[in-house]
Amino acid sequence: MNRLNVSLQQSIATLAAKGWSSRKIARELDLDRETVRRYRPVPDSKPAIVPAGSQAGRASQRAPVSSVITE
């Protein structure tokens, strides 16, 4: 299997960190977009949005026991 040399891999990572799209990186480095996608670092994932009617959504909306004031 063919591999990109280290300098191209670093270039992809650097340009991706600057916010460049895969298409723009591919054009700039004269690579296929799929090659850029393969070597592009994976961005940090965002937490999932809980659907409004789900059990998990209701559980996260409950007040913690320690903050409930009892008389």
Side-chain angles (χ1 to χ4, degrees):
M1 181 173 184
N2 294 333
R3 300 275 183 200
L4 282 182
N5 62 34
V6 175
S7 64
L8 276 176
Q9 291 178 27
Q10 290 175 341
S11 296
I12 291 170
T14 301
L15 294 174
K18 290 182 179 183
W20 285 35
S21 69
S22 294
R23 184 174 290 194
K24 187 173 179 180
I25 294 170
R27 250 188 259 130
E28 182 70 23
L29 300 178
D30 195 30
L31 299 170
D32 188 77
R33 283 188 322 203
E34 285 299 310
T35 303
V36 172
R37 184 191 59 78
R38 213 173 289 127
Y39 287 94
R40 187 180 178 125
V42 178
D44 294 335
S45 62
K46 297 179 183 176
I49 298 172
V50 179
S54 71
Q55 290 292 337
R58 284 191 283 266
S60 66
Q61 293 174 352
R62 293 183 197 147
V65 175
S66 61
S67 67
V68 176
I69 300 172
T70 57
E71 292 182 32

